Amino acid sequence: MMQTIPITRADTPLRFDDRPVPKRVGLVVLATDHTSEPDFRRMVAGEAVGVYTARIAYANPTTPENLRRMQPRLEEGAALILPDEDLDVVVYSCTSASVVMGDEVVEQAIRNAKPGVPVLTPPSAARLGLKAFGAKRIAVLTPYTEETARPMAAYFAGHGLDIARFTYLGLDDDRVMARLTPDSLVQAAVEAMPADAEALFVSCTALRSALVARRIEEAIGRPVVTSNQATAWAALRLCGDDHPRPEFGRLMTLGLPVGA
């Protein structure tokens, strides 16, 4: 015979906070992404800032055509993050797709789901980071093939940056990019940095470059901006968090540039 268990509704007065976590960062990542979520856990998430993620469909290889195919999925992905609730900022975590689609296209798609929210893409955050350093002549390192790297070079040149050297590694699968060892990234970054560049941008959210940004800076003697580091930095600053995190590179000790 089943025991009848008494169940009682509590009379305790209940109080509620406006939010479980004061600040909310939405993170839209590719279905194949291995790196963005761990990076944002390390650099962004905490007692005052929550990171809430949605994944959208994506299939390799990493070509401009495949990257553009994500555009119709952006709005749906953003809408899945805490539906009908406000976010403080949304990050679309794909550098090359943001370049080939255009920052404005990405921003509009996300704002269709989350009206009025600040939107960050890795290239737009990287430009903010380079501006914070006052860097105008830069080097760029990407893991992509030449086909995917060329729009990246045109993007930064089109935003007024002088590219001293642009280096690509010839990879076309973001899952493979994520497996590049930290030591390999440091070596590639050192080799990609010419003497006359003021800063290095390491592109691609799949790379674990945020973990070695400080090591690269020590090796080249100049500032380093990486895709995930830049979006994490800008997201924190937009949430009002100015706490320095020098273990992730000099950028994480700076404020947003004036007018950002």
Side-chain angles (χ1 to χ4, degrees):
M1 180 177 178
M2 292 289 293
Q3 179 185 2
T4 301
I5 301 173
I7 299 176
T8 305
R9 178 168 180 167
D11 294 326
T12 307
L14 302 178
R15 298 182 179 87
F16 298 89
D17 291 321
D18 290 337
R19 294 180 174 186
V21 182
K23 295 292 184 178
R24 298 167 173 166
V25 174
L27 184 64
V28 179
V29 302
L30 280 57
T32 52
D33 188 314
H34 284 271
T35 309
S36 296
E37 287 166 308
D39 274 353
F40 268 65
R41 279 200 303 270
R42 296 182 189 101
M43 293 187 285
V44 178
E47 292 184 4
V49 182
V51 177
Y52 306 90
T53 305
R55 285 180 174 257
I56 60 174
Y58 172 71
N60 283 289
T62 301
T63 63
E65 180 182 5
N66 280 348
L67 293 165
R68 288 190 189 96
R69 286 180 178 150
M70 281 187 281
Q71 181 178 334
R73 302 163 187 153
L74 288 173
E75 182 177 342
E76 179 182 357
L80 291 172
I81 303 175
L82 302 181
D84 303 319
E85 296 192 65
D86 293 333
L87 301 174
D88 294 286
V89 59
V90 175
V91 174
Y92 172 50
S93 196
C94 186
T95 318
S96 51
S98 298
V99 164
V100 299
M101 285 190 273
D103 290 327
E104 299 81 5
V105 171
V106 173
E107 291 167 11
Q108 186 57 59
I110 290 172
R111 288 193 179 119
N112 287 342
K114 297 290 186 182
V117 68
V119 177
L120 292 170
T121 68
S124 69
R127 288 191 289 112
L128 285 174
L130 294 166
K131 184 177 180 181
F133 283 119
K136 297 186 181 298
R137 183 166 172 79
I138 66 169
V140 180
L141 172 65
T142 80
Y144 317 123
T145 62
E146 181 177 358
E147 178 188 18
T148 305
R150 285 202 175 276
M152 186 76 58
Y155 174 94
F156 283 100
H159 282 91
L161 290 160
D162 182 14
I163 300 179
R165 181 182 297 167
F166 194 107
T167 304
Y168 68 93
L169 301 179
L171 303 177
D172 67 356
D173 189 316
D174 67 323
R175 298 163 298 181
V176 175
M177 298 172 197
R179 294 202 296 271
L180 276 173
T181 68
D183 287 345
S184 292
L185 287 170
V186 173
Q187 182 178 351
V190 170
E191 294 174 0
M193 190 66 183
D196 61 339
E198 299 168 329
L200 172 68
F201 172 52
V202 184
S203 175
C204 189
T205 58
L207 296 179
R208 292 176 286 165
S209 49
L211 296 178
V212 291
R214 185 172 181 174
R215 282 179 59 190
I216 298 171
E217 287 179 330
E218 291 170 351
I220 66 176
R222 277 155 290 177
V224 170
V225 175
T226 84
S227 289
N228 289 345
Q229 173 217 46
T231 53
W233 163 74
L236 284 167
R237 299 303 181 258
L238 289 172
C239 286
D241 184 337
D242 295 320
H243 181 72
R245 292 166 172 81
E247 65 272 26
F248 298 113
R250 289 171 55 191
L251 181 61
M252 294 293 276
T253 69
L254 304 180
L256 288 174
V258 176

